[in-house]
Amino acid sequence: MPLFGRDAELKALVELFDGVGHRSGVLVQGEAGVGKSALVAEAVSAASAAGLRVLTTTGVEAEQDLAYAGLHQLLYPVRAGVDALPAPQRDALRGALGLGDAAEPSVYLVGLPTLTLLAEAAAVRPLLVVAEDVHWLDRASADILAFVARRIESEPIVMVATIREGERSPVQDAGLSPMPVDRLSDKVAAELLDSIAPGLTPAVRARLLEEAAGNPLALIELPAAMGGQDGLGPALPLSERLERAFTARVAGLPAPTRTALLVAALNQSDSVSETLAATGLILGSVAGLEILAPAVEVRLVELGIDVVRFRHPLMRSAIPAASALAERRQAHLALAETLREQPDRRAWHRAAATAGADEGVAAELDRAAAQARHRGGVAAAVAALEQAARLSEGLDRKAVRLLRAAELAVESGSRGTAERLVRDAQALGLSPRRRATAAWLLSGFEDGVREDVSRVPELAELAASVAADGHVEPAVRILWGAAMRCFWSEPGPAARRSLLGVADRLPVPADDPRMVAVAAYVAPFERGDAVLDGLRKLAGAAGADPEVDRYLGSAALQVGAFDLAARFSAAAAPGLRAQGRLGLLPRALAVQAWSRARLGDLATALPIAAEAAGFAQETGQPFMYGLATAVQAEVAALRGDHEQARTLADVAERVALPAGARPVLATVQLARGLAALSEGRFDDAFAALSRILDPADPAYQLALRAYCLAELTEAAVRAGRTDTMRDILHDLEPLAASTPSPALHIGLRYARAVLAPNEEAEELFTAALRADLTGWPAERGRLHLAFGEWLRRQRRAAESRTHLRTARETFDALGMAAWGERARRELRSAGESSPNRDPDAREKLTPHELSIAQLAAEGLTNREIGQRLYLSHRTVGTHLHRIFPKLGVSSRADLARMLETLEQRSSR
């Protein structure tokens, strides 16, 4: 049948195929029956004619709870390539597809081999990936498709996906261009109807056109269902009208065919052999293919090699809806009997056939959940546990399963599902321990940022109560959730003291990494000495456990040990990458970038911050995205790109302000203050940086407020606010007496020297420069600049030039353009000219390119870089082909030498 009224959409799809390798694809959106599948079918024909290979998968409502069912369908034609994948990728993919025994592979660990497999296939022949009805794909497969869609722009791969209007899927947020498909115009609708049902009476034709309202499937299906002018009855919602049209056609089929159709509709597979075997059990005799022939004749289904497919998803849902409950139960039981060798699918069919409590079926679903979890299908495991809870015998078993499901929902980021499951469990009358579990479970979302800070003392009491009952590990987890709130929000000193009291009473060693981190979050200054001592002892074990390294990195940031924060976070990242834990990875990367930026290592901070922002956005972590974006704003300000700094700071603030995410807002004000300083807007700089220290301001953050003293002091002096700055120092001095925080003491030494009277300044500057600033080049450069400026004002130009020259060279090497220009101006005033600074080769690259270049310079192959950054190795090669000409190098060896030279200059 020709396609009516879709010339523009088809033209756009054909153009997409012509540009394969430059665009990722489209998401075709429209209501049921509007012709999405017909349009895609035409597009597939055009793609095949253009020489593209086509791989397809189709979401089926009955398969939504079968982990990776859609991915299995997509990759089946290229399955031979799985064995050629690198071992970690091969094992993860085989485990996800149920072909091996890899335990709990994450979506991202499965996504990378999927991308690699598709890229390898596309290298032989450009590839079209078609994913129909993505709203019905199982969540794991949908996540994989979204992962792939984000990463194929440079590959000879294009994706076309379809989704029903009003439905949701992770694929919607994967960067595919939306292609809305609307109803047909009146003129085109009439042409389509006349081609389907010529010779209708004018009254019937008018009624059909009115009822169909431009919906192509309705125009095709309704004529067969309409016996006369009033055959359709009163107007109904479109999908209901179509379902009635389908069921009207089913009603005229032989009874055995109706039974087979019901079984096929309820089956979680398109397998003809399964459908016929189950149908035979119901009929009590062998069922052959001929039983489906009447359904094929009336265009309800299509038959292939061991495949039976409904011509439209509505047909699959209409048939069970129109059948009796007893008939559906009988069909499910027959399928369960047929699927004895597939216990997961058997459990679902038995559950569907069970009305009341049945602990045997619930136990089967428990095992199905465990298997889904083992394969990385968290959403499928949640669904199985929730169904098992429905069938559980006894309230306690029901509650346990609901809370287990809620815990997995938290892990997968499904907040609405987790909240509903927790509410259902709480309504059952829980034991004290179960109540505690329910109370802290939801704390896993966004570290409690959106919760009222009054929850912090409540959580402290809960942790104490749980510990008193002898449940130490749950108490530690609750305490950890409360401590995280002290980072993102400000609960006040009383709440912090209550948390410390609980922590001190827990029977857990003080040097346990978790307790060190809790102390850092809750009392970064009061416990700073003990925390730093613990961190330095634990640094020797960095790299052993990436999750421990991740939160120790964040703890080190709290106490101003940015060098340790960068070290722990850098140690965490490889393990988190290898495990595919992209939920935790942006947290480690954001802390690493924040610390590196504060240390002045902009070349390292920038690509890490960009990667953290990308992964945070991809994994649905808005506040980590905001923090990483704010760090990018800070780096832009330090590099002198003030417009970019303002843009990024505004983006980060929009994310953080509604929820009051204080670390993000503090970093935003830091970036704005730095930009204003370098532009000479000193009043603005002082105002922005002062906000971080004001407890009434949403940008106030207890720990971070003490770590920008050098910038704040400089702004105060130049804005004529030295008295105000002295008052600020007076308030902060007691903190220095309680903690050896490196950042705090470095900042205080700088501020004391800059604010000192002339007779004391030189001694203070000299003492500050004698302090150990290894690994803190930006702070060393600031001291040299400030000392050189002071010496010049004292008319000691010759002495000033030494310090100003050192400052200029330091800032040039670090890429801190605005500060380098200041050093140049001071040197000119001191009688010495400076050569113009040529842009650092690294500044010619995008953050993404810089990350790839640095890894290539370290000697990693394209495949290894791809595994590290979750890209295909072919995409990495494409980027390197762009990078080499930008830097004027022709080989990896040249690239390594260039970057090594630049790195040495930066670290001097």
Side-chain angles (χ1 to χ4, degrees), residues 745-827:
H745 283 275
I746 288 170
L748 285 172
R749 284 193 291 267
Y750 177 94
R752 291 174 192 135
V754 170
L755 294 173
N758 285 337
E759 61 272 16
E760 300 175 14
E762 183 167 6
E763 182 180 348
L764 290 172
F765 272 121
T766 302
L769 284 168
R770 278 201 303 265
D772 183 8
L773 292 173
T774 304
W776 298 71
E779 303 304 331
R780 189 189 310 112
R782 284 196 184 95
L783 275 168
H784 279 293
L785 178 58
F787 193 18
E789 290 171 336
W790 182 85
L791 287 168
R792 192 184 66 77
R793 289 197 303 272
Q794 305 306 307
R795 304 183 184 281
R796 295 161 62 179
E799 294 173 77
S800 75
R801 287 195 287 268
T802 301
H803 292 283
L804 294 172
R805 201 178 300 121
T806 300
R808 180 198 66 199
E809 291 168 356
T810 298
F811 292 135
D812 282 356
L814 294 173
M816 295 173 63
W819 271 255
E821 285 307 309
R822 269 184 50 197
R824 281 175 167 74
R825 288 196 299 270
E826 289 291 331
L827 271 169

Side-chain angles (χ1 to χ4, degrees), residues 336-350:
E337 183 65 24
T338 302
L339 297 170
R340 280 188 170 276
E341 300 304 315
Q342 298 183 52
D344 295 357
R345 292 176 61 197
R346 170 185 164 83
W348 278 103
H349 284 295
R350 288 196 67 199

Side-chain angles (χ1 to χ4, degrees), residues 187-278:
K187 179 176 180 295
V188 175
E191 292 173 356
L192 174 57
L193 179 60
D194 291 342
S195 73
I196 293 293
L200 293 172
T201 66
V204 171
R205 181 176 181 273
R207 176 73 195 283
L208 280 170
L209 288 171
E210 180 185 2
E211 289 287 341
N215 183 280
L217 187 63
L219 290 163
I220 293 169
E221 299 297 337
L222 290 178
M226 191 172 185
Q229 182 174 350
D230 298 318
L232 288 177
L236 298 169
L238 181 62
S239 61
E240 193 173 339
R241 287 204 303 272
L242 293 183
E243 287 184 358
R244 284 182 57 185
F246 296 144
T247 53
R249 288 158 61 187
V250 172
L253 296 174
T257 302
R258 294 200 304 271
T259 299
L261 284 177
L262 176 60
V263 170
L266 292 175
N267 194 10
Q268 296 158 324
S269 161
D270 290 335
S271 167
V272 165
S273 56
E274 290 175 2
T275 293
L276 295 178

Side-chain angles (χ1 to χ4, degrees), residues 283-306:
L283 298 178
S285 60
V286 175
L289 272 178
E290 66 279 358
I291 201 171
L292 289 167
V296 174
E297 290 173 10
V298 297
R299 295 169 49 84
L300 283 171
V301 297
E302 296 174 332
L303 292 179
I305 299 174
D306 197 33

Side-chain angles (χ1 to χ4, degrees), residues 298-422:
V298 297
R299 295 169 49 84
L300 283 171
V301 297
E302 296 174 332
L303 292 179
I305 299 174
D306 197 33
V307 169
V308 53
R309 289 197 179 98
F310 288 88
R311 293 182 62 86
H312 193 277
L314 282 175
M315 300 178 190
R316 190 165 202 148
S317 60
I319 291 168
S323 64
L325 177 61
E327 292 173 328
R328 293 199 300 274
R329 183 174 184 276
Q330 186 181 39
H332 278 300
L333 289 173
L335 283 164
E337 183 65 24
T338 302
L339 297 170
R340 280 188 170 276
E341 300 304 315
Q342 298 183 52
D344 295 357
R345 292 176 61 197
R346 170 185 164 83
W348 278 103
H349 284 295
R350 288 196 67 199
T354 304
D358 188 323
E359 189 57 34
V361 178
E364 285 189 44
L365 284 166
D366 247 350
R367 290 189 286 273
Q371 184 61 25
R373 183 74 183 86
H374 185 77
R375 292 172 56 195
V378 177
V382 170
L385 283 170
E386 185 173 8
Q387 184 75 320
R390 179 183 71 82
L391 299 174
S392 296
E393 295 175 357
L395 294 182
D396 191 60
R397 284 174 173 166
K398 186 184 293 285
V400 167
R401 285 168 173 144
L402 286 172
L403 290 175
R404 282 171 51 207
E407 192 165 0
L408 289 177
V410 169
E411 181 181 321
S412 66
S414 304
R415 184 177 194 130
T417 300
E419 288 175 342
R420 175 175 55 76
L421 292 166
V422 167

Side-chain angles (χ1 to χ4, degrees), residues 435-474:
R435 282 201 303 274
T437 300
W440 68 263
L441 252 177
L442 301 178
S443 301
F445 289 107
E446 299 170 347
D447 300 323
V449 177
R450 299 184 192 274
E451 288 187 359
D452 193 286
V453 291
S454 65
R455 281 279 288 152
V456 174
E458 290 177 19
L459 288 171
E461 292 176 10
L462 180 62
S465 170
V466 171
D469 288 339
H471 307 302
V472 176
E473 284 304 308

Side-chain angles (χ1 to χ4, degrees), residues 418-765:
E419 288 175 342
R420 175 175 55 76
L421 292 166
V422 167
R423 282 196 304 270
D424 290 348
Q426 288 171 328
L428 299 174
L430 301 175
S431 67
R433 185 179 180 187
R434 305 260 187 263
R435 282 201 303 274
T437 300
W440 68 263
L441 252 177
L442 301 178
S443 301
F445 289 107
E446 299 170 347
D447 300 323
V449 177
R450 299 184 192 274
E451 288 187 359
D452 193 286
V453 291
S454 65
R455 281 279 288 152
V456 174
E458 290 177 19
L459 288 171
E461 292 176 10
L462 180 62
S465 170
V466 171
D469 288 339
H471 307 302
V472 176
E473 284 304 308
V476 172
R477 290 198 295 270
I478 295 167
L479 193 65
W480 172 254
M484 288 300 295
R485 285 162 169 76
C486 295
F487 174 64
W488 290 103
S489 57
E490 182 44 58
R496 288 176 181 269
R497 282 195 299 271
S498 68
L499 287 176
L500 278 182
V502 175
D504 290 342
R505 291 193 299 273
L506 285 179
V508 180
D511 59 356
D512 183 295
R514 296 168 299 175
M515 304 313 292
V516 171
V518 165
Y521 280 115
V522 178
F525 302 111
E526 295 91 331
R527 299 291 174 90
D529 200 347
V531 169
L532 276 163
D533 184 57
L535 289 171
R536 287 171 181 142
K537 289 177 181 175
L538 291 165
D545 185 330
E547 188 165 359
V548 169
D549 289 336
R550 193 269 305 174
Y551 61 70
L552 288 179
S554 190
L557 187 148
Q558 302 305 299
V559 294
F562 302 150
D563 50 347
L564 283 175
R567 178 176 171 181
F568 277 118
S569 301
L576 297 176
R577 291 181 196 278
Q579 295 169 8
R581 302 176 74 178
L582 265 62
L584 293 179
L585 181 60
R587 292 169 174 258
L589 294 176
V591 169
Q592 187 183 4
W594 204 101
S595 304
R596 282 290 164 202
R598 289 280 72 208
L599 293 169
D601 186 0
L602 306 188
T604 301
L606 185 58
I608 292 172
E611 187 183 15
F615 280 140
Q617 201 166 31
E618 185 171 342
T619 54
Q621 300 183 73
F623 304 121
M624 294 313 302
Y625 169 74
L627 188 60
T629 303
V631 173
Q632 290 178 286
E634 180 187 354
V635 172
L638 289 168
R639 293 175 66 173
D641 191 346
H642 303 128
E643 189 59 39
Q644 178 75 345
R646 277 190 286 273
T647 299
L648 290 167
D650 289 348
V651 170
E653 186 175 58
R654 282 196 295 272
V655 170
L657 195 56
R662 291 178 181 270
V664 181
L665 297 172
T667 309
V668 164
Q669 294 309 317
L670 175 58
R672 286 175 175 162
L674 288 168
L677 262 179
S678 65
E679 290 179 305
R681 297 183 290 107
F682 304 118
D683 287 323
D684 291 343
F686 186 75
L689 294 168
S690 296
R691 289 183 57 185
I692 306 174
L693 284 82
D694 180 3
D697 195 285
Y700 173 84
Q701 209 282 339
L702 183 73
L704 303 188
R705 81 190 199 279
Y707 303 145
C708 58
L709 289 181
E711 296 87 348
L712 183 63
T713 303
E714 184 181 345
V717 169
R718 292 175 179 269
R721 305 292 296 276
T722 53
D723 289 342
T724 303
M725 190 63 216
R726 288 191 178 97
D727 291 340
I728 291 171
L729 284 188
H730 182 266
D731 292 339
L732 292 177
E733 289 285 2
L735 299 182
S738 64
T739 178
S741 165
L744 175 59
H745 283 275
I746 288 170
L748 285 172
R749 284 193 291 267
Y750 177 94
R752 291 174 192 135
V754 170
L755 294 173
N758 285 337
E759 61 272 16
E760 300 175 14
E762 183 167 6
E763 182 180 348
L764 290 172
F765 272 121

